[in-house]
Amino acid sequence: MPVDTKRLRGPEESQSPWLFVEQEQQSPPDEREDGRRKGQVDVRPIFARCGLVSQAKGSAYIESGKTKVICSVYGPRETERKDETDMKFGRLVCTFRFAPFSCAKRCGWIQSTQEKDLSMALLGSLHPGLCLHRYPRSQIDVSVLVLENDGSALAHAVTCASLALADAGIEMYDLVLGCSLRQEGSDYLLDPTFAEETQEPATESTENRGGMMVALLPSLNQVSGLLCSGDLEQQPLVEAVAACIEGCQRIYSVAQRCLLTAVKKKNPPPDG
Amino acid sequence: MLRRPQRASKLHQRVMNTNSLTQAPWHQTTVEPLEYHRKFLKENCRPDGRELGEFRTTTLNIGSITTADGSALVKLGNTTIICGIKGELAAPPADAPDKGYIVPNVDLPPLCSSRFRPGPPGEQAQAASQFIADVIENSEMLQREDLCIEKGKLSWVLYCDIICLDYDGNILDACIIALLASMKNVQLPEVHVNEQTGLAEVNMKKKRHLNIVKHPVAASFAVFDNSILIVDPTSDEENLSTGFITVVIDEEEKLCTVHKPGGTPLSNEKLQDCINRAITRNKEVCKLLNKVMKSMKAK
């Protein structure tokens, strides 16, 4: 393990108090804890705002249930790495981070492999939505920070990042909206909370259990990113994708209204 | 909460009117920023309409992150700082078996300003972390003995992670407020060490607050043109200044830290002015803190 010399370090080893709490074994309830129903396209209400980071070209903040994500966009600016300069297309750089206090267990400052994977997934989902040919030889930086993770962090990060890109005035084909899903046997949980994402299954069988994230270009109705893990058969998989697409469409109006408010604030209509 | 405070004082309007109409402010701010600021300072006010000794609007939100044991979001004008504290269990340090740990870290991610690059923390972030650690140590805001659970066996580690979300100058003041407010918000579960097994037993249902004995508050100043002191500088003002000074003071008017990293030398009287302003700032911030804590209890 490399030692981090640039930060103040605590003791070499410390444990989360949750390790010492006796876990009560309980089977997952039939109903979801927050009153939403299984197998229904039931996304949590979303709060979205644009343009709150004064230093950034564009920024957005999304709150959905207890999940809180902030994103800011810088650029287009000159590429830092000259060897990777593309004469025809702009380069999109995505960084996805969890704040150390965002999860139940504290995560470290150094970017973990999970965060790197999520950065790549974010990049892949946003890429098809951008007109990168309009920004040759330049770089657009997107950085996402999850302030609190209560499930579906990547899906909300995708939505948040595309709102920030739109707020920054980057030319896009369409917004990119994200929605995630958890399949449990024959039922699915749309927009799962952290507990639902990580809970132990009720049955031993591993059939048809898994997670999914779909990124959608809503007005073109094209899927730009699809991330699927676990074991899913064909029929439930197709149904799950359809449910995610439906879920994305549900948050489209919120995203549109958020952008409209931001544009109105930037360019106030002339008086009288 | 997120609105930009744009309050144009009469002085501000007067200065704006003295500018010829053909010259838009952006022209001056980009081409001759120093001259632009000087014009305002001559009239004893600043481009954003503040007087020289006036802080930006401070807003405070406590306990918004439920995954942290204590958290606070502070806005100082546009500058936004979030602090989350998480408690973990560890063996106490060998040289002080009856104490716990407090580990503050400041992060300035590329998210908050274009001046920061991804990767390990830069000099400014490292200096800020050390400064916060010094303030905690010097102010004795809480007794580190309180964090000990069983002498020599088990104690709490408080990881105080402070992240800047929007960098518009004067992060140190905002960091200290965020740290203090989230410390007040921390609730740690009850822990016992089982004598037979030697393992910890945690009761998540019983939680208690930390005993915060001192309330240190910082006031930062920038020195303009080697003579004029302005309080709570914005990012633009920081870039043009010739020196900085940060004074941290607690509610009993005791100095905790005076931080002056080089720059213009200051006279005795000027330093006294800074300290006096820091005393009134402490009263302002404590008032705000109490108000927010009270409104939280009312809920």
Side-chain angles (χ1 to χ4, degrees):
Chain A
M1 244 329 252
V3 176
D4 187 359
T5 52
K6 302 205 167 166
R7 292 186 181 88
L8 299 177
R9 279 173 305 143
E12 279 184 14
E13 246 186 286
S14 63
Q15 283 98 27
S16 165
W18 286 102
L19 283 174
F20 301 98
V21 180
E22 282 196 26
Q23 295 289 337
E24 288 168 34
Q25 281 294 333
Q26 49 175 320
S27 56
D30 293 334
E31 288 295 312
R32 298 172 74 171
E33 262 178 37
D34 45 12
R36 290 183 291 158
R37 278 183 296 169
K38 287 181 180 180
Q40 297 278 325
V41 182
D42 216 353
V43 289
R44 288 174 284 185
I46 282 185
F47 170 88
R49 274 280 177 286
C50 278
L52 29 81
V53 179
S54 63
Q55 309 293 307
K57 186 87 185 297
S59 59
Y61 171 79
I62 278 192
E63 200 173 312
S64 168
K66 282 193 270 177
T67 300
K68 301 177 181 75
V69 182
I70 187 168
C71 173
S72 59
V73 170
Y74 292 90
R77 55 188 178 192
E78 206 180 340
T79 31
E80 276 161 31
R81 292 175 63 175
K82 291 284 175 285
D83 53 324
E84 282 182 22
T85 305
D86 194 322
M87 303 304 267
K88 285 203 180 120
F89 291 94
R91 205 160 77 95
L92 183 67
V93 182
C94 291
T95 343
F96 183 100
R97 294 296 313 267
F98 284 110
F101 45 78
S102 65
C103 303
K105 291 206 174 87
R106 183 178 182 268
C107 33
W109 279 109
I110 298 170
Q111 197 180 31
S112 65
T113 46
Q114 189 207 4
E115 286 168 317
K116 276 179 193 157
D117 284 350
L118 292 171
S119 302
M120 289 305 294
L122 180 65
L123 177 80
S125 304
L126 292 175
H127 205 271
L130 293 173
C131 308
L132 284 174
H133 61 278
R134 305 280 297 189
Y135 304 97
R137 283 182 288 176
S138 51
Q139 169 176 336
I140 297 165
D141 291 277
V142 176
S143 37
V144 173
L145 180 72
V146 178
L147 296 174
E148 184 172 348
N149 179 13
D150 191 28
S152 318
L154 178 62
H156 293 303
V158 168
T159 313
C160 190
S162 81
L163 283 175
L165 282 162
D167 184 49
I170 306 288
E171 289 188 44
M172 295 163 88
Y173 294 109
D174 198 352
L175 275 178
V176 189
L177 303 175
C179 185
S180 63
L181 175 145
R182 171 97 193 154
Q183 186 82 32
E184 291 282 353
S186 54
D187 272 335
Y188 62 78
L189 310 168
L190 203 77
D191 192 16
T193 63
F194 188 72
E196 286 165 348
E197 270 181 349
T198 51
Q199 74 190 359
E200 291 294 315
T203 50
E204 287 291 307
S205 80
T206 55
E207 238 168 65
N208 280 330
R209 283 189 52 234
M212 176 181 285
M213 197 283 295
V214 170
L216 182 80
L217 310 175
S219 56
L220 299 173
N221 208 15
Q222 290 176 350
V223 172
S224 69
L226 176 66
L227 206 69
C228 188
S229 61
D231 184 359
L232 288 174
E233 277 172 36
Q234 192 191 346
Q235 188 56 29
L237 185 99
V238 173
E239 280 168 21
V241 173
C244 278
I245 290 176
E246 177 72 29
C248 289
Q249 294 287 4
R250 293 264 167 111
I251 56 173
Y252 191 27
S253 60
V254 183
Q256 278 177 319
R257 232 175 299 146
C258 162
L259 281 176
L260 197 66
T261 321
V263 170
K264 273 187 187 159
K265 210 168 98 188
K266 266 185 203 166
N267 311 294
D271 292 328
Chain B
M1 180 185 95
L2 304 160
R3 214 177 50 215
R4 280 187 184 196
Q6 282 198 335
R7 188 173 57 82
S9 68
K10 279 182 184 165
L11 269 174
H12 179 243
Q13 280 170 355
R14 204 168 75 210
V15 178
M16 292 305 282
N17 290 340
T18 54
N19 293 341
S20 62
L21 287 168
T22 46
Q23 274 181 324
W26 68 265
H27 184 112
Q28 298 180 1
T29 46
T30 41
V31 180
E32 281 185 327
L34 197 56
E35 281 305 317
Y36 177 72
H37 276 85
R38 273 185 193 141
K39 214 179 223 170
F40 283 94
L41 293 177
K42 220 185 277 167
E43 301 276 348
N44 276 328
C45 73
R46 291 148 79 173
D48 51 5
R50 284 186 288 160
E51 285 166 32
L52 300 189
E54 195 179 338
F55 273 84
R56 288 171 283 179
T57 317
T58 313
T59 47
L60 182 58
N61 186 323
I62 300 181
S64 37
I65 307 288
T66 51
T67 44
D69 294 314
S71 65
L73 179 90
V74 173
K75 273 185 80 89
L76 199 59
N78 281 329
T79 297
T80 312
I81 303 275
I82 192 163
C83 174
I85 299 183
K86 265 178 113 62
E88 292 200 346
L89 299 166
D95 55 342
D98 57 343
K99 285 183 180 174
Y101 305 82
I102 304 170
V103 189
N105 268 301
V106 178
D107 192 31
L108 301 171
L111 176 111
C112 72
S113 168
S114 53
R115 68 174 80 191
F116 303 113
R117 296 273 159 263
E123 259 172 37
Q124 197 186 351
Q126 290 177 51
S129 299
Q130 193 55 52
F131 172 78
I132 303 285
D134 288 346
V135 169
I136 295 173
E137 183 80 30
N138 296 337
S139 66
E140 295 173 332
M141 58 196 288
L142 78 164
Q143 300 289 319
R144 268 174 66 198
E145 284 82 359
D146 286 356
L147 297 174
C148 183
I149 298 161
E150 181 103 9
K151 194 179 170 185
K153 277 185 187 152
L154 201 65
S155 63
W156 282 107
V157 190
L158 293 183
Y159 289 102
C160 313
D161 297 307
I162 303 169
I163 303 177
C164 179
L165 301 179
D166 191 349
Y167 186 100
D168 193 20
N170 196 11
I171 55 158
L172 292 183
D173 288 16
C175 284
I176 299 275
I177 300 175
L179 178 83
L180 183 64
S182 37
M183 281 282 196
K184 296 275 273 187
N185 182 234
V186 169
Q187 279 188 302
L188 293 176
E190 206 177 67
V191 183
H192 289 292
V193 179
N194 190 322
E195 279 179 22
Q196 273 146 18
T197 55
L199 284 173
E201 282 174 0
V202 181
N203 184 359
M204 280 292 175
K205 289 190 184 101
K206 268 192 182 174
K207 291 195 172 182
R208 64 178 180 90
H209 282 280
L210 289 173
N211 184 22
I212 308 292
V213 279
K214 295 279 170 60
H215 295 78
V217 172
S220 291
F221 306 82
V223 190
F224 228 87
D225 280 342
N226 298 322
S227 56
I228 308 167
L229 272 174
I230 51 174
V231 79
D232 184 23
T234 62
S235 174
D236 288 342
E237 286 164 343
E238 273 185 0
N239 291 340
L240 299 167
S241 319
T242 52
F244 301 100
I245 178 164
T246 302
V247 180
V248 187
I249 226 158
D250 68 17
E251 73 271 33
E252 288 161 12
E253 303 189 3
K254 279 186 187 146
L255 276 174
C256 306
T257 314
V258 179
H259 183 65
K260 188 177 179 313
T264 314
L266 279 182
S267 68
N268 227 343
E269 295 84 52
K270 285 257 155 78
L271 184 64
Q272 193 58 51
D273 287 348
C274 291
I275 293 172
N276 290 339
R277 181 68 186 95
I279 291 172
T280 47
R281 175 65 178 165
N282 185 293
K283 297 207 174 87
E284 290 165 25
V285 171
C286 284
K287 209 170 130 194
L288 175 74
L289 191 61
N290 286 333
K291 207 173 104 189
V292 178
M293 297 291 288
K294 211 176 261 174
S295 74
M296 279 181 66
K297 271 188 197 131
K299 268 177 205 169

